[in-house]
Amino acid sequence: MQSLRMEFVGFKMIFIVALFLMGSVVNSKESSEFKLPTNFKPVSYRLDVTTYLDDKFMFEGVVDIQMTCVEATDTIVLHSNSLNIDTKSVVVANGGENVIPVSSVSFDPKKELMHVKSTVNFKPGDEYVLTIPFTGNITDDLVGYYRSSYVDKENNQTRWLAVTQFEPADARRAFPCFDEPAYKATFKIRLGHKKGLTSISNMKMMKETPIPSKPDYVFDEFEESVPMSTYLVAYMVSDFAYIEADSRDDEVKFRIIARKDAAGQTELAKNAGPLVLKYYEDYFDEKFPLSKQDMVAIPDFSAGAMENWGLVTYRETALLIDPDVATIDNVHRVAEVIAHELAHQWFGNLVTMKWWTDLWLNEGFATYVAARGVDFLYPEWNSFQVETVQNFLRVLDLDSLQSSHPVSVAVGHPDEIAQIFDTISYTKGSFLLHMMNTFLGEDTFKQGIRNYINKHKFSNAEQDDLWSSLTEEAHRQGTLDKNLTVKLIMDTWTLQTGYPVLKVIRDYSADTVTLSQERFLTIKSNGTDKKSCWWIPITMTTSMEADFNKTKAQSWLNCENNNLTTPLAKDNEWVIYNMQMAGLYRVLYDTRNWMGIVSTLNDPTKYKTIHTLNRVQLIDDSFSFSQVGDMDYGITFQLLKYLKHEKEYAPWLAALGGLGPINKLMKRTPNQGVFQNYMQRMLSSVYSEFRDMAVELNGFEEIRFKNLVTAEACRHRIKDCTEQALELFSKWMKISDPDNNNILPRELKPVIYCQAIKYGGVEEWDFLWERYQRSNVGSEKAKLLSALGCSSETWLLNRYLNWSLDSSIIRKQDAATVFYSVASSDIGFYVAKDFLYRKIADISEYYQPRGDRVGRYVKVIGSQMKTKEELDEIQSFINKSSAYLKGADLTINQTIETVKINTEWTSKFYHKIVNHMV
């Protein structure tokens, strides 16, 4: 599944907002309390569902589950949630003929379980068929079997559709089932619907038959599926258009499905989908096992996309591209999400984790391989390096909190599962795979993955299975010492929270260097982190050698030799560790070594001798070490001076990312002006390269670079930046057909929209709101929604926030985007905070049953708080609102920790740091 990560900041990404959907972490003993007993194993399901969309929004159906008894018992336990079941109609048969007497059918709503008890014992080894008729409501909750709608442009009528979203644990809302990933079975599905609509499911449709009792309705019957987990079952009833891609060799039939008004936005998906699918078939050396692959754009969708086997569902912004308005970020997002979901067809669908503890095997892997897929589609973009940088920066930030969690995390209650679809599972998981690929080598890594898939296909696996496949291959190829295993190394990265800082101390008189490690924490703990210890792949170079291509581990720092001293020649100006950020760790040098690095960077003829990725790490590490007091801010600001001759995007991304938190802490304080002046001086030379907004660039990094710098220049009031934006917007407002004639430079629209709304009034706001309402393009609507939150008019912001809780005005999937955009501006922060405090009950109710969503609202407010008074205030709000924050515990804990970090920083550095900026 593709988490929303980026929708907020433009693109899946920037994740910087990452959906930190997390939850309380429980130990595995407790998790078994919520798992099904192992008495029965489902073999196949026959599922009939009839959908009623006209007025009553409900479905009715019957499921026959063929299953094998594994252990003697008199009770079948399975999942059911929010379904109406006539208990008298529940039947159990043995071999299809003999009916087994059912003595009672009962439900445990808290655990979402259904118990079917018999008067006799079921026998191990025997097969049984359990038949359950059921009905349910097609809700607007965006989970289970839910409804979505759109307005048909031709006749201005609202059209309804019904679609499933079962991951992680909501198949049980659509039909009674064994709703855990380890219970794989085949599915034979028949979908009843009104004539004039169409239905799709995981497999190809075989035939349509009339329903005698309902003359207006038909049944569509689908081929039997391959064995799969319930969370991957999918079906939809709609009046959508079907666009076929040219499939090579007609092996896999590929279709893009969307509302007919958006059928013209499917070209990119139509081309990229089959190419990426073929790329993965080659990479994994395993054919795609189904005969068709559908990809559907859904108007209302809570995540980014969902990898249902053979029927991948997407938000419109994650699948559709209008070539006339799309930015390169929109194209990148769509390519990335398609690549992510198609990677899941192998990693997740073909081989599935046994339990949600190993969710990272699905999500981390799909994220990692998607970056390779995008690189395959657009080799000229250098996007793999950009992705590596973003992942590195994102993970290090979140994972330095005490309240982070391990990549492999025990979960118990189903509510907790949704909360680990977060930056740790996706991004840290992905970066750790990149790190393994680097120390094992591409050949070993790829063959190890192929062996793992071949061994576990159509079945389930856990982390240790992946480790053993990689170890066997590494020993076979001789790429890992026979005394080492991947498990020994990687368990230290996946089973522990956090990551290490490598401490590098040079003894300049003895010509030696000593390495040690400890956990990096933004708030130093009283000793708990001392126990943490990682197997760190050591790579290094010196000023004399300056060879940054040696990315394969030269040695290991581990728990046995956690104080390693080696010789180092005297005449080295500096030593740098972690070549091209191949390992997930920070590096802290002694002051003299830092000053040697600073002097090389500040020499315009020499700074490029240090690899781009290492310049990124040096910038990011120096900010982080200064923030926690391990290094003087003076060194960091000396280092930043070199940026006046830096011409590459990635180091600037790291620098502006590091200055962002300082900006947040200076905002709304008397020193905001000092920081603004510093930023204007800092940006002046690079902004001069990109000053003219009307000049359109080519190339992924160049465009991103210009967008980044222009947004910062306008944010910090570089005069002609705002002037250009307002002038261009004003011209656009005067054009006779602004919807079809948007004269703004397409890549800079988000910056220009925001400036115009910030410095404009009601007229500008209403103009942009009208553009939002008229737009037929999901990605454009997302940009407009974010920009409308930039207003400086408090009443407009209040009205906008109220609208966000009315799904007839703003889709539920977009409500958080509205809140985030308002809360991120200077004036909007106060308006959004007040709205959150007053409306917490309404917000919580609006998002049910997904409590994790509410945590994001608290997080965006808390991340901007920085005083003791504010800490007390938000703590008091959280205490009072605990009933409304269920299912968001981890986000809440991280928010409180972040406010404490901000408060501590402000008391220590607020006055000192100003001296480095004047």
Side-chain angles (χ1 to χ4, degrees), residues 32-298:
S32 61
E33 177 196 341
F34 295 99
K35 287 165 89 166
L36 293 173
T38 52
N39 313 87
F40 281 92
K41 184 176 183 302
V43 178
S44 66
Y45 290 77
R46 187 184 172 90
L47 176 64
D48 286 3
V49 181
T50 303
T51 301
Y52 301 96
L53 280 172
D54 277 357
D55 43 10
K56 48 190 174 184
F57 295 123
M58 57 87 65
F59 59 90
E60 63 182 3
V62 60
V63 65
D64 297 322
I65 309 174
Q66 184 187 343
M67 56 203 177
T68 306
C69 179
V70 180
E71 297 156 23
T73 176
D74 63 356
T75 307
I76 302 167
V77 184
L78 70 165
H79 289 107
S80 176
N81 185 8
S82 308
L83 294 170
N84 307 309
I85 291 168
D86 175 4
T87 54
K88 295 182 193 61
S89 308
V90 175
V91 178
V92 183
N94 187 351
E97 303 300 318
N98 317 318
V99 171
I100 311 280
V102 171
S103 62
S104 70
V105 176
S106 60
F107 300 89
D108 179 347
K110 185 168 173 285
K111 292 186 182 171
E112 304 174 357
L113 296 177
M114 172 178 181
H115 299 259
V116 180
K117 196 170 168 43
S118 168
T119 55
V120 298
N121 256 358
F122 298 105
K123 289 191 201 134
D126 281 11
E127 296 234 323
Y128 298 88
V129 177
L130 169 62
T131 300
I132 308 171
F134 56 89
T135 64
N137 294 320
I138 303 175
T139 67
D140 61 358
D141 294 339
L142 310 185
V143 296
Y145 193 33
Y146 73 93
R147 65 181 187 259
S148 173
S149 67
Y150 69 96
V151 174
D152 186 337
K153 292 265 190 279
E154 209 173 294
N155 51 25
N156 212 28
Q157 281 188 336
T158 297
R159 301 281 189 198
W160 291 95
L161 58 137
V163 67
T164 57
Q165 170 56 42
F166 291 163
E167 188 180 34
D170 289 314
R172 62 192 71 174
R173 290 173 180 275
F175 60 98
C177 56
F178 292 82
D179 199 12
E180 289 176 8
Y183 289 109
K184 286 193 169 183
T186 58
F187 289 82
K188 193 123 182 41
I189 293 175
R190 285 201 313 168
L191 298 175
H193 59 82
K194 199 166 189 183
K195 289 176 180 170
L197 299 176
T198 55
S199 73
I200 45 172
S201 184
N202 304 83
M203 305 302 288
K204 259 187 183 163
M205 190 171 104
M206 294 194 302
K207 61 179 183 202
E208 179 189 283
T209 51
I211 303 180
S213 58
K214 301 190 185 76
D216 281 354
Y217 280 70
V218 290
F219 256 131
D220 292 340
E221 192 170 336
F222 297 86
E223 289 174 356
E224 187 164 24
S225 76
V226 294
M228 62 184 187
S229 307
T230 47
Y231 78 88
L232 294 168
V233 173
Y235 40 89
M236 177 175 91
V237 171
S238 72
D239 67 349
F240 277 10
Y242 293 73
I243 297 93
E244 278 198 40
D246 304 329
S247 48
R248 277 174 307 287
D249 315 326
D250 295 323
E251 283 175 18
V252 179
K253 186 178 177 191
F254 221 105
R255 299 184 298 185
I256 314 301
I257 301 164
R259 51 192 175 82
K260 60 179 187 290
D261 292 329
Q265 300 172 33
T266 57
E267 197 65 24
L268 177 75
K270 200 174 83 169
N271 295 329
L275 284 171
V276 170
L277 199 74
K278 178 74 175 73
Y279 170 75
Y280 290 151
E281 285 187 330
D282 296 341
Y283 188 84
F284 297 128
D285 193 25
E286 180 72 45
K287 285 283 185 206
F288 179 68
L290 309 186
S291 58
K292 66 97 178 173
Q293 176 64 69
D294 290 331
M295 305 205 295
V296 192
I298 311 290

Side-chain angles (χ1 to χ4, degrees), residues 701-851:
E701 283 185 281
E702 292 85 342
I703 290 170
R704 279 207 159 175
F705 200 179
K706 178 168 183 170
N707 293 353
L708 177 76
V709 170
T710 308
E712 288 289 334
C714 280
R715 186 173 294 126
H716 296 294
R717 308 276 185 93
I718 290 186
K719 197 159 177 275
D720 72 322
C721 189
T722 300
E723 283 171 359
Q724 281 188 75
L726 300 184
E727 193 180 325
L728 285 162
F729 193 86
S730 161
K731 273 189 195 157
W732 181 41
M733 279 179 76
K734 298 189 179 95
I735 279 175
S736 59
D737 181 5
D739 295 303
N740 292 313
N741 193 7
N742 188 331
I743 57 162
L744 305 182
R746 91 166 59 187
E747 299 292 347
L748 291 174
K749 282 190 293 190
V751 179
I752 295 168
Y753 291 165
C754 184
Q755 290 291 299
I757 295 301
K758 183 176 181 178
Y759 296 107
V762 180
E763 193 185 348
E764 285 78 8
W765 203 95
D766 288 347
F767 173 80
L768 215 57
W769 176 250
E770 192 178 339
R771 306 287 71 77
Y772 169 76
Q773 290 176 297
R774 288 169 179 257
S775 175
N776 182 40
V777 180
S779 57
E780 187 65 14
K781 289 176 91 81
K783 291 185 193 88
L784 293 163
L785 269 187
S786 285
L788 288 162
C790 295
S791 175
S792 305
E793 293 278 2
T794 53
W795 72 270
L796 279 175
L797 294 175
N798 265 309
R799 183 181 70 179
Y800 193 36
L801 289 168
N802 279 309
W803 284 357
S804 75
L805 295 185
D806 181 344
S807 60
S808 68
I809 305 178
I810 289 166
R811 291 186 187 274
K812 184 182 281 195
Q813 66 174 17
D814 297 322
T817 303
V818 170
F819 186 83
Y820 185 84
S821 69
V822 171
S824 300
S825 75
D826 290 10
I827 289 165
F829 168 78
Y830 295 108
V831 179
K833 182 175 74 166
D834 175 60
F835 179 80
L836 174 67
Y837 289 0
R838 281 187 297 108
K839 297 274 199 172
I840 183 62
D842 297 344
I843 295 168
S844 174
E845 187 186 343
Y846 191 60
Y847 279 111
Q848 288 311 313
R850 289 298 299 277

